[in-house]
């Protein structure tokens, strides 16, 4: 039994080292840092810049001007002394944004654009890149929120119609009012962004097909990767030690 546990720890450590350290670090460091005016067609680049304006885009509930928004509907369920949060809806606009630095600007294409590629890093480091704005918009404090439970109803009259549109009933199976929370997060113009991707052109405009867009710099993500790599190495070493001690018996 011990040898199987040792092998399991060893293989898990190796998997962590590769998926959360070696592979992400290779992708993070293989893109060459460039200023926007220096970029060339087909080049894989890493750009540090600021989010530009997205004319006409406003958040659905707060009506705040933004370049990206995210709405989450969460149900709180109580079970004895503990309560759990179940995410019923996670809604985001499928569009890109503009990115600028002091040398110029370009358009970051939406990830579901035909030219975009999907590469996963894993949720332990950052959110998957196919959800480009997930880690950008998911702030600790929402821009706007509302809730209902058995003691209170939603303050905003638009919420019942919004929930009905997304097939989320206000009451449970037994007719009791559900404990629901609606949260809206936004990303505003001027936010510092770090982008990895491939330069292309569309309608004679310079664009970036994103591999990753984050509010964390390359240096910080590399340190995150190294930390997970060290954890994986320790786990693999522990598993190897167990296997070695079993072999010596």
């Amino acid at each position: 039994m011990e040898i199987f546990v040792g092998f399991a720890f060893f293989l898990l450590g190796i998997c962590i080292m590769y998926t959360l350290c070696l592979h992400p670090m290779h992708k993070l460091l293989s893109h060459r840092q460039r200023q926007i005016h220096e970029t060339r067609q087909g080049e894989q680049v890493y750009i540090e810049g600021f989010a530009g304006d997205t004319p006409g885009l406003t958040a659905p509930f707060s009506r705040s001007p933004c370049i990206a928004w995210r709405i989450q509907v969460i149900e709180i369920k109580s079970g004895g002394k503990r309560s759990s949060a179940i995410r019923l809806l996670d809604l985001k606009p499928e569009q890109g944004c503009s990115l600028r630095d002091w040398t110029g600007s370009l358009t970051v294409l939406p990830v579901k654009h035909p030219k975009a590629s999907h590469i996963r890093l894993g949720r332990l480091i950052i959110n998957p890149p196919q959800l480009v704005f997930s880690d950008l918009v998911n702030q600790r404090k929402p821009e706007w929120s509302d809730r209902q439970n058995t003691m209170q109803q939603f303050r905003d009259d638009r919420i019942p119609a919004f929930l009905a549109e997304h097939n989320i009933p206000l009451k449970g199976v037994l007719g009791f009012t559900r404990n629901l929370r609606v949260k809206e997060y936004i990303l505003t113009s001027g936010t510092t962004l770090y982008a990895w991707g491939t330069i292309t052109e569309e309608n004679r405009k310079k664009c970036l097909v994103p591999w990753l867009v984050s509010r964390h710099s390359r240096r910080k993500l590399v340190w995150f990767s190294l930390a997970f790599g060290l954890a994986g190495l320790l786990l693999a070493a522990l598993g190897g030690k167990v296997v070695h001690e079993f072999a010596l018996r």
Side-chain angles (χ1 to χ4, degrees), residues 1-11 236-249:
M1 183 63 181
E2 291 182 5
I3 191 170
F4 292 109
V5 173
F7 270 120
F9 274 67
F10 179 78
L11 292 176
L238 177 62
K241 181 180 179 182
V242 172
V243 173
H244 179 69
E245 290 179 351
F246 182 86
L248 292 178
R249 292 179 183 177

Side-chain angles (χ1 to χ4, degrees), residues 2-208:
E2 291 182 5
I3 191 170
F4 292 109
V5 173
F7 270 120
F9 274 67
F10 179 78
L11 292 176
L12 180 60
I14 295 298
C15 289
I16 291 176
M17 288 178 61
Y18 176 76
T19 58
L20 300 181
C21 179
L22 299 178
H23 177 63
M25 282 187 60
H26 171 71
K27 298 297 296 185
L28 291 170
L29 298 175
S30 63
H31 291 66
R32 188 172 182 179
Q33 184 169 358
R34 291 285 198 182
Q35 295 175 342
I36 290 178
H37 83 286
E38 298 176 328
T39 57
R40 299 291 182 266
Q41 175 86 3
E43 187 178 20
Q44 289 190 333
V45 297
Y46 163 65
I47 299 173
E48 299 181 354
F50 301 91
D53 295 324
T54 304
L57 182 62
T58 57
F61 287 113
S62 65
R63 299 298 183 188
S64 301
C66 60
I67 69 163
W69 52 263
R70 183 179 191 178
I71 294 176
Q72 292 183 340
V73 180
I74 298 172
E75 181 176 14
I76 307 298
K77 288 193 173 184
S78 300
K81 296 182 179 180
R82 295 185 178 182
S83 61
S84 58
I86 301 174
R87 187 180 300 173
L88 304 178
L89 179 68
D90 194 349
L91 189 64
K92 299 171 290 293
E94 296 176 0
Q95 66 180 71
C97 70
S98 63
L99 181 68
R100 57 182 173 83
D101 61 15
W102 67 277
T103 68
S105 64
L106 53 72
T107 300
V108 179
L109 297 175
V111 172
K112 290 194 175 182
H113 189 276
K115 294 183 179 180
S117 59
H118 298 171
I119 303 175
R120 293 180 179 269
L121 280 184
R123 292 182 180 273
L124 291 178
I125 299 180
I126 44 181
N127 286 330
Q130 68 267 27
L131 305 176
V132 168
F133 291 112
S134 291
D135 73 320
L136 302 179
V137 184
N138 192 15
Q139 304 161 347
R140 291 185 178 179
K141 184 177 180 181
E143 176 75 10
W144 176 96
S145 64
D146 202 351
R147 65 186 298 176
Q148 77 159 20
N149 50 43
T150 54
M151 303 297 293
Q152 69 181 72
Q153 300 297 318
F154 286 117
R155 300 186 306 273
D156 196 313
D157 296 334
R158 298 170 295 175
I159 295 181
F162 172 80
L163 295 179
E165 180 183 353
H166 295 281
N167 301 314
I168 301 176
L170 295 176
K171 297 183 180 294
V173 178
L174 299 179
F176 295 106
T177 300
R178 303 172 76 183
N179 189 352
L180 299 176
R181 298 180 182 178
V182 181
K183 300 180 180 182
E184 180 184 85
Y185 304 87
I186 67 170
L187 182 68
T188 57
S189 174
T191 302
T192 301
L193 297 181
Y194 305 91
W196 291 256
T198 303
I199 297 296
T200 186
E201 284 191 8
E202 195 167 279
N203 299 324
R204 296 185 178 181
K205 293 183 179 180
K206 186 175 293 186
C207 301
L208 180 74

